[in-house]
Every structure is written in structure tokens, then in C-alpha cells.
Amino acid sequence: MPHPSDHDDPKPGDSYVQSFARGLAVLRSFGADAPAQTLTEVAASAELTRAGARRILLTLLHLGYVEMDGRLFRLTPKVLELGFAYLSSLPVWTQAQPVMEDLVQSLRQSCSAAVLDGDEIVYVLRVPAHKIMSINLGVGSRLPAYSTSLGRVLLAGLPDDIVQQRLVSASLPAHTPHTVTDPQRLYEIIRQVRIQGWCQVNEELEPGLVSMAAPVVDRNGRVVAAINISGQVNNPPPAQLLEHCLPMLLAAAAKINLLVRAQK
Amino acid sequence: MPHPSDHDDPKPGDSYVQSFARGLAVLRSFGADAPAQTLTEVAASAELTRAGARRILLTLLHLGYVEMDGRLFRLTPKVLELGFAYLSSLPVWTQAQPVMEDLVQSLRQSCSAAVLDGDEIVYVLRVPAHKIMSINLGVGSRLPAYSTSLGRVLLAGLPDDIVQQRLVSASLPAHTPHTVTDPQRLYEIIRQVRIQGWCQVNEELEPGLVSMAAPVVDRNGRVVAAINISGQVNNPPPAQLLEHCLPMLLAAAAKINLLVRAQK
């Protein structure tokens, strides 16, 4: 990826960059733990002075991204448009859903799509097999790339030197006794995933959880996303997973690839 | 809702407000029709000069919200955090999902939750009864309030004078031959909805589509969201809708109300 020249690149000290970053930090300071905040609370959680927080809150109020109720500020639904702009700009998001729905109906396994962001995967679409799905694994939630099938498929889409850099610099804790945490061993697994075109991960993230993933590739050969199926260990049994589920996962990924490439 | 004094309120001419608004406009210029844009395209769609668009894109690049690939700019998954901050700040979003899942399993009708934003409803949660769901009705999508059951329940949560103001100033096109478009008649319907505590709308948005909605009320008596069930006309038949589905919808709303009020 080319970079703008040093001359043009805005610096962290640049006042415009700083004020924009502070505005977004104020938006992000709201959440499940802080749905409504006073000026003082916003200043504390976004690490701003009261005057700075006040200026940004009044700006957000003026632009319609926050509302004020007495001394309390809250986000408005307008904020959703920002996340929605990202999702609808993803080829996989607009094309993959019907294919993933079909796969879930055939296999009775949950199916998800994710993209890579640094050392993490970010879910962009989830089709649960069972109606009761943990809200914590909704769209926008993140998991470490190295210990998930989606993450290994996405890492396999990067050049070898970048993969090595990422594995050396990433924190690689063991989530279960099965988690592979040795960077060299992970590097070999990811190279193998690139050759075979899919990835299976058994209980490396959570005991009892198995998953298989395949890449979504755009017309330039770039891995833009990955889809997976996940379920409980031995349900279906390992042999059926490889003989029946894997071919259907690969067929679904191939179908999505065609749709993504057909997009203008 | 109290307003900050004129002295403090940032004006549209205020340079900070303007630059923040422009930055957000650049984020919103990406989407299904424009997943990747050149500098020139961004400038055109966000109505900025090339120099202005360049400064904002480099800022977003620096903050990690945009990535650059040759001459093309794309949004990154980091943008999702902004929309996610809003969703997770909603009491209904964190509490309603399991209750809505149960309702869908019992009734085999789709269930959605929405909030009001001006004259529109914004979906914040959707539980489809059939796996194949139109992507166009996902989280973040909008519909006019006056012709939907969710919207009428949300409007009924506002004071009478505000409802009248909204109905007089809103555009009220007929989507079907059944759509009520007379502001006075709509006002009477909304008052009736407030008294009875639920709303049914038959084919006013789309031929063949019927829905029933109920409010979600916080501990201060404020209508913070609405949930609905929707299905095809005559499936279930109208009598069953009122005798069987409505009580279950109201029970689900009551359960969500208790959960929302129990939140700290």
C-alpha cells in the first residue's frame, strides 16, 4: 500500500486530526456501560478537559449525533449510519447473505463472515443455526486472528513477510490447552491453509468449539473476507465434517466469489 | 429538552463544527454504490474541494478509519465501532434479543425492534422467522414512521403537540391504496394507539404486509423503543392475529420493559 509523502501526511500534533480524533473518541465513549453520560463523565472517559468535552458534545448535538436530556447526553440512531456505510461498502456483505442462509439451512451449523483488522477478525455477518445466539458474537465483535479458522484464512491472504511480522509482534495467549501459540508453528499452519484453500480449527479458542473457514477472493485475487461454519465438537462427527460439510462450505465460498467478481 | 444557551451553541459557521461534519460526510460517502473511491470521487460525493477532501481522507487514513490501495480509498472495519457504540448503548438492544427470539419461535412471525429518529423509524434488532431475509431491512435501515406499526407506537410516546407538529410538517405519501395520509386521521389513530397500548397496521406500507407493535418503556415512563411482529396478510388469519399473537406480543413487551427497568 503506497503512503502519502511525509509532507502531506497529517501528524498526530496536527490540530485538525486531533479534534477529529477527539470527536470520534467522544462517540466511542458511549456504550453498554455508559448509555447516558454527563459532561463530566464524557470528559473523564474520553480523557478530555471539561471545556474540550463540552465543545465536542455541543458539536455532536448540533450535527444530530447526540441528544441532551437534562444533564445527560445520549447517542442518536444517526450514529448507525456510519457503521452502515462501512457494511454496505463490503462486497461480501451485500452478496454473501443468501448463500450463507442456504448453507445454514442445509448443514444446521452457524455460518459467519469476517474481515481482518490488524491482529483481529471483525464479524460482518452472522447467520445462527439456532435461534438463541449470544449477543456478544454479533456484527462488529472481534476475536484474535491467530486462534480462529476465519483469522487463519484471512492471514493466509497476506504476503509471507507480513504474516511473519504479525505473528512475531502479536500477543498469542493460549485460550485452551489446544491453542497453538508458537509463532513458527502458526506460520507453517497458515502457509498450509494458503495451499489447501481452507482451514479447520478444533477447540483452540474455546473448549468444545470447532470451525472451518474458506476465503472470499475478489477479482484481483485479494482475500477480502472469510466465511466459516462452526459447531460443537463431535456434532457432526469429525469424519462427516470433512466429507460432507467441508465440500459444501467450499461450494458456498466459490459461489460468493463469483458474485463478488460479477459486481461492478 | 433544555438547550444550551445561544452563547455556547456552536453555529453552522463554526470552523470546528464544519470540519467535523465534513469528516463524517466523507465517511458516509462510502457505501454499496461506492465501496472504493478516488480522491476526486470523494470530493464530488461529499461536496468538497479536492484539497478539503484530501485533508480529511489523510486524517481518516491516519486515524485508521480509511485505507488506501493505489488511488482508491476504502473504509476499514474500525468504522463499525462507531455504530456498535450506539447499539450497545441502547437498553432494548442489550435486553430484548432473547425475549424476541422466544417470540419468533412461538409464533413463527418475524420480530423487530426500532427507535424513532425524526419522521423515521430505524431498525436496531431484527429476528427473522424465515432464514431468507431481505438485506434491505437489516439493522440501521429506515422506514417512514406514520405508515408503520412501529412508527405509530413510537409517535404515540411523544406529547400530543409534538405529534401534531410532526404530522403537519412530514411528507405523507400513500405507499398502497390503504395508506392513511390525512394528518388529522393519523393523529386520531396515534391517540388511540396511546390509549390501547398497541398498534396494528394492515397493508399501509406494502401490499400483503401486516404488522402489530407494542412500546418498550423505561423506568421514567419514556417510550424508548418499539417491538413488532410482521407477516403476510391472512397468515395467520386476522382473528388468530388478535386472539393469539397480540397477547404474546404484549407479554414479550412487558418482559422487555421489566428487564430494561431492572438495568442499572
Side-chain angles (χ1 to χ4, degrees):
Chain A
M1 188 192 294
H3 275 286
S5 73
D6 281 347
H7 176 71
D8 288 330
D9 195 4
K11 292 293 181 304
D14 181 313
S15 71
Y16 179 67
V17 177
Q18 240 180 31
S19 25
F20 195 74
R22 282 175 184 161
L24 297 177
V26 166
L27 285 181
R28 287 207 314 270
S29 75
F30 292 87
D33 297 334
Q37 299 183 91
T38 62
L39 169 60
T40 310
E41 286 165 344
V42 168
S45 57
E47 296 182 8
L48 296 168
T49 62
R50 264 180 71 92
R54 181 178 175 79
R55 184 160 170 76
I56 288 166
L57 281 169
L58 293 179
T59 299
L60 290 169
L61 189 67
H62 180 81
L63 296 174
Y65 289 95
V66 303
E67 59 183 20
M68 197 165 76
D69 181 8
R71 292 171 56 239
L72 289 174
F73 293 88
R74 281 192 186 81
L75 298 184
T76 72
K78 201 174 175 187
V79 176
L80 263 191
E81 289 174 6
L82 301 173
F84 202 64
Y86 167 70
L87 286 174
S88 64
S89 77
L90 287 183
V92 65
W93 196 73
T94 47
Q95 300 293 330
Q97 179 152 332
V99 180
M100 287 165 59
E101 305 269 15
D102 285 349
L103 188 64
V104 170
Q105 257 183 335
S106 307
L107 294 182
R108 298 277 147 208
Q109 304 285 317
S110 301
C111 183
S112 302
V115 297
L116 192 65
D117 190 29
D119 294 331
E120 293 178 314
I121 62 163
V122 181
Y123 285 103
V124 294
L125 202 55
R126 311 239 340 146
V127 182
H130 307 287
K131 291 285 186 179
I132 306 301
M133 183 176 101
S134 163
I135 203 140
N136 294 320
L137 281 177
V139 165
S141 61
R142 288 164 178 262
L143 287 174
Y146 72 99
S147 54
T148 54
S149 62
L150 288 163
R152 289 184 188 168
V153 161
L154 291 165
L155 288 170
L158 300 175
D160 267 344
D161 53 333
I162 306 281
V163 176
Q164 277 181 314
Q165 271 174 31
R166 296 256 177 116
L167 291 174
V168 167
S169 62
S171 154
L172 307 170
H175 308 291
T176 76
H178 301 282
T179 315
V180 177
T181 59
D182 173 47
Q184 185 55 36
R185 177 81 191 100
L186 280 169
Y187 178 64
E188 283 156 20
I189 290 172
I190 287 162
R191 282 175 60 102
Q192 181 60 33
V193 166
R194 190 186 298 141
I195 292 163
Q196 73 190 16
W198 54 275
C199 173
Q200 180 173 10
V201 170
N202 291 338
E203 305 191 83
E204 293 191 43
L205 182 69
E206 204 181 289
L209 183 71
V210 300
S211 70
M212 294 176 118
V216 175
V217 181
D218 73 7
R219 77 180 80 176
N220 302 318
R222 207 168 70 111
V223 174
V224 290
I227 63 166
N228 83 343
I229 48 172
S230 60
Q232 295 302 302
V233 70
N234 294 326
N235 175 29
Q240 195 189 324
L241 204 62
L242 283 175
E243 281 162 34
H244 179 62
C245 301
L246 176 60
M248 293 192 66
L249 171 70
L250 294 175
K255 203 164 170 184
I256 295 169
N257 288 344
L258 280 176
L259 292 169
V260 165
R261 285 169 205 183
Q263 267 190 322
K264 68 164 176 68
Chain B
M1 187 193 294
H3 275 285
S5 73
D6 281 346
H7 177 70
D8 289 331
D9 196 2
K11 292 293 182 303
D14 182 313
S15 71
Y16 179 68
V17 177
Q18 241 180 31
S19 6
F20 196 74
R22 283 176 183 161
L24 297 177
V26 166
L27 284 181
R28 288 207 315 271
S29 75
F30 291 87
D33 297 334
Q37 299 184 92
T38 62
L39 168 60
T40 310
E41 286 164 345
V42 169
S45 58
E47 297 181 9
L48 296 168
T49 62
R50 264 180 71 90
R54 180 179 177 77
R55 185 161 168 75
I56 290 166
L57 280 170
L58 293 179
T59 299
L60 290 170
L61 189 67
H62 181 82
L63 297 174
Y65 289 95
V66 158
E67 61 183 17
M68 196 164 76
D69 181 10
R71 293 171 56 239
L72 290 174
F73 293 88
R74 280 192 187 81
L75 298 183
T76 72
K78 202 174 173 185
V79 175
L80 264 189
E81 289 174 7
L82 302 172
F84 202 64
Y86 167 70
L87 286 174
S88 64
S89 77
L90 286 184
V92 65
W93 197 73
T94 46
Q95 299 294 331
Q97 180 152 331
V99 180
M100 288 166 59
E101 305 268 14
D102 285 350
L103 187 64
V104 169
Q105 256 183 337
S106 306
L107 294 182
R108 298 278 147 208
Q109 304 285 318
S110 300
C111 184
S112 301
V115 298
L116 191 66
D117 190 30
D119 295 331
E120 293 177 315
I121 61 163
V122 182
Y123 285 104
V124 294
L125 201 55
R126 310 238 341 144
V127 183
H130 307 286
K131 291 284 186 178
I132 306 301
M133 183 176 101
S134 164
I135 201 137
N136 294 321
L137 281 177
V139 165
S141 61
R142 288 164 177 263
L143 286 174
Y146 71 99
S147 54
T148 54
S149 63
L150 288 163
R152 289 185 187 166
V153 162
L154 291 165
L155 288 170
L158 300 175
D160 267 343
D161 54 334
I162 306 280
V163 175
Q164 278 183 312
Q165 270 173 32
R166 296 255 177 117
L167 290 174
V168 167
S169 62
S171 156
L172 306 170
H175 309 291
T176 76
H178 302 282
T179 315
V180 177
T181 59
D182 173 48
Q184 185 56 35
R185 177 81 191 100
L186 280 169
Y187 178 65
E188 284 156 19
I189 290 172
I190 288 162
R191 282 175 62 100
Q192 180 60 32
V193 166
R194 190 186 297 140
I195 294 163
Q196 72 190 18
W198 55 274
C199 174
Q200 180 172 11
V201 170
N202 291 339
E203 305 191 83
E204 292 191 43
L205 182 69
E206 202 180 290
L209 183 72
V210 300
S211 69
M212 293 178 118
V216 175
V217 182
D218 72 8
R219 78 180 79 175
N220 303 318
R222 206 167 69 111
V223 174
V224 290
I227 63 167
N228 83 345
I229 48 171
S230 60
Q232 294 303 302
V233 69
N234 294 326
N235 176 30
Q240 195 188 325
L241 205 61
L242 282 175
E243 282 162 33
H244 180 62
C245 301
L246 177 60
M248 292 191 67
L249 172 70
L250 294 175
K255 203 164 169 183
I256 295 169
N257 288 344
L258 280 176
L259 291 170
V260 165
R261 283 167 206 183
Q263 267 191 322
K264 68 163 175 67

